[in-house]
Amino acid sequence: MNELIQNSFNALTMSSREIAELCEKEHRNVLADIRTMCEQLNLDVLTFQHIYLDSMNRKQTEYLLGKETCLCLVAGYNAKLRMAIIKRWQELEQATTQ
C-alpha cells in the first residue's frame, strides 16, 4: 500500500485499509471502529468516505483520515499498534517535505 494519499484539499490522509494493514486488523473491523469513533465525536463519517475498486473491480468503501482523527482512532488500540501508526505518519510527513 505505502502510498501517500492526499484529499481534494491537499491534506495528508491515511486510508482505513492502510490502518488495518499496519495494525494487523481486518478492514471491516477498522471501518466499524471509525464509524463508532465518528458517532462518539459527532462527526459525519461520510466526510471521510472514499470509494475504491478492489482486485475484482468492485466498488468498496474505505475512509481517509487526517492525522488527528487517525491518532484518535488508534488511541484505543494497544501501544504496539499506536507506535506503528505514529511511525507511518512520520514517514508520510517526511515524504512531503522532500
Side-chain angles (χ1 to χ4, degrees), residues 17 52-58 60:
R17 292 185 296 153
Y52 70 96
L53 298 177
D54 68 11
S55 60
M56 298 178 68
N57 213 30
R58 298 174 298 192
Q60 301 290 338

Side-chain angles (χ1 to χ4, degrees), residues 2-14:
N2 296 331
E3 76 272 4
L4 176 65
I5 300 174
Q6 294 187 323
N7 65 19
S8 58
F9 299 108
N10 209 30
L12 286 177
T13 61
M14 188 179 297

